């Protein structure tokens, strides 16, 4: 079975957490909307009035299943490709960590769009500056401090032990994305999160991830995604 | 086994989605932080450096498990108390719907706190007005239209069929909360969402939910929770 991933074709966005898992697992998949006619196919899936139409991309077609919501897709893939533990409690724990990352991703998005996704960044620049200040003062230390503590107390190569999970792949993306969006702020902040920086490097060096990052399948960061580099927000 | 629910004692907030599920299931539970010494107990759990310390309330202690993230708790409870289907695909689908509700809840919160949770509402009132306008113009129609469509196409009493799931309980809370926070706006809007209003009424009439809503266990809506009534935002 070949998976079909449906996501906006020109950004990493939330689809990237799924791509990283599929790539690490060496799973066969098509990134549907990046192929000819793919966007129309994606739209048809979303407008379906029967079955399980997703609210928004990303969603994954896996045989007969159509699974939406990033963390839900990872929960499904994790169990099938050894990217999550098998025991119920441990599976829920890894999923819980992914949901916490999802909250962080939403807050990262809102740094540049605090007043609404339907308005241009340029029309909410002043609000974006204030939100970004709060984000870096309050939220970045809280979120990264949480994961940093788990890494320290766990004392293993990866967040939940010696084996990589989809949560580690997602944290790699968080570090990479913050570096892209806020090079100046991250420059000063990284010494406070040695655990996460080390984790980022270990994930980046994994053969399948390394090959993926060097390939054309990895879309470059840009100013249409979640992580956007705006100089005014990185002062 | 008696569940222990840990959540802020003076608001419905995100804990309410879990309370509604526990109440509908007639499950034995303690709302820990509402009892004497409970807040200190909750703080100790969050500062634990071993096991699975949650990032934030709500979290549920179920025997040896400590489960955080609202949708994750409901996923766990749903499987145990007949509040979700058993088949894998259907379970993932119900979870996916709950995650979409979680996104909506975050957006509702951000109507009054668009610039950050750590700032007072009074210090972000102008931004809150703009965000609320966008929310009602773009997001409320999109989210409610999605669920309204599922209800219409499903043609059953509840969102995924004849049996109630935790998603129905959560949608009840969404309708009740929007009515509290935005009585004026909702007054004009409700005729567009007959399916959701009917669902709200069916859930409210279920014996266990009805008894819960009439009890002291149901905390009243107030201006510290997710759904806040601010006249300036309900113009």
């Amino acid at each position: 079975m070949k998976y079909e991933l449906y996501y906006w074709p020109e950004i990493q966005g939330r689809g990237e957490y799924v791509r990283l898992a599929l790539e690490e697992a060496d799973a066969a998949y098509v990134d549907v909307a990046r192929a000819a006619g793919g966007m129309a196919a994606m739209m048809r899936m979303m407008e379906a009035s029967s079955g399980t139409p997703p609210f928004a991309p990303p969603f994954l077609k896996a045989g007969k299943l159509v699974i939406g919501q990033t963390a839900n897709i990872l929960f499904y893939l994790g169990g099938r490709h050894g990217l999550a533990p098998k025991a119920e409690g441990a599976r829920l724990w890894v999923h819980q960590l992914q949901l916490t990352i999802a909250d962080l991703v939403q807050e990262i998005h809102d740094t540049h769009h605090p007043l609404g996704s339907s308005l241009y960044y340029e029309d909410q620049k002043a609000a974006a500056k204030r939100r970004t200040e709060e984000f870096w003062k309050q939220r970045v230390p809280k979120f990264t401090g949480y994961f940093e503590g788990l890494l320290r107390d766990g004392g293993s190569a990866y967040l939940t032990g010696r084996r990589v999970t989809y949560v580690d792949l997602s944290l790699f993306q968080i570090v990479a994305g913050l570096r892209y969006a806020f090079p100046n702020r991250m420059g000063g902040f990284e010494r406070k999160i040695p655990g996460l920086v080390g984790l980022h490097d270990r994930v980046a060096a994994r053969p399948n991830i390394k090959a993926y990052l060097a390939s054309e399948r990895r879309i470059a960061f840009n100013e249409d995604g979640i992580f956007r580099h705006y100089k005014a927000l990185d002062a």
Side-chain angles (χ1 to χ4, degrees), chain A:
Chain A
M1 180 189 69
K2 207 170 196 168
Y3 293 114
E4 293 176 14
L5 170 64
Y6 292 82
Y7 194 65
W8 308 114
E10 287 166 5
I11 58 171
Q12 294 182 3
R14 289 180 174 84
E16 197 62 16
Y17 304 93
V18 182
R19 290 189 186 109
L20 286 166
L22 291 166
E23 293 283 345
E24 170 61 28
D26 201 16
Y29 75 102
V30 197
D31 205 337
V32 178
R34 296 182 73 185
M39 273 296 284
M42 182 162 98
M43 290 308 166
R44 274 197 303 276
M45 297 274 285
M46 291 178 65
E47 284 152 16
S49 67
S50 63
T52 57
F55 181 75
F59 51 93
L60 185 80
K61 193 161 184 308
K64 285 183 181 172
L65 293 181
V66 179
I67 307 165
Q69 284 281 352
T70 309
N72 199 35
I73 300 170
L74 292 173
F75 184 77
Y76 172 84
L77 289 175
R80 261 160 199 73
H81 296 280
L83 289 174
K86 294 236 179 284
E88 186 194 24
R91 265 189 103 184
L92 290 171
W93 168 236
V94 169
H95 186 50
Q96 173 179 334
L97 294 172
Q98 190 65 40
L99 290 171
T100 301
I101 293 172
D103 289 343
L104 171 57
V105 168
Q106 183 57 39
E107 295 199 26
I108 291 164
H109 169 271
D110 285 356
T111 58
H112 47 79
H113 277 76
L115 302 185
S117 301
S118 46
L119 303 169
Y120 290 113
Y121 162 67
E122 285 70 21
D123 294 332
Q124 50 188 311
K125 223 167 148 176
K129 276 191 193 177
R130 281 194 66 193
R131 172 105 191 199
T132 302
E133 280 306 320
E134 282 304 303
F135 175 68
W136 274 93
K137 202 161 79 181
Q138 304 283 346
R139 305 301 284 168
V140 173
K142 187 168 158 75
F143 276 104
T144 59
Y146 176 70
F147 289 110
E148 196 69 20
L150 292 177
L151 280 166
R152 192 179 50 236
D153 297 331
S156 294
Y158 296 107
L159 198 64
T160 57
R162 281 177 304 133
R163 296 194 62 174
V164 75
T165 72
Y166 57 76
V167 163
D168 300 301
L169 307 178
S170 295
L171 286 173
F172 154 81
Q173 176 71 4
I174 294 290
V175 171
L178 288 176
R179 282 180 178 171
Y180 172 79
F182 304 103
N184 187 38
R185 292 179 187 270
M186 268 298 262
F189 186 74
E190 285 199 18
R191 61 184 169 75
K192 296 183 183 169
I193 51 165
L196 283 165
V197 170
L199 178 65
H200 166 278
D201 296 349
R202 276 189 295 283
V203 168
R206 294 182 65 87
N208 290 355
I209 297 296
K210 194 174 173 182
Y212 167 60
L213 296 176
S215 77
E216 290 194 348
R217 298 190 303 284
R218 170 81 165 181
I219 299 165
F221 284 108
N222 61 51
E223 280 56 58
D224 294 310
I226 301 283
F227 295 99
R228 303 189 187 187
H229 178 54
Y230 291 129
K231 273 192 185 164
L233 304 184
D234 190 34

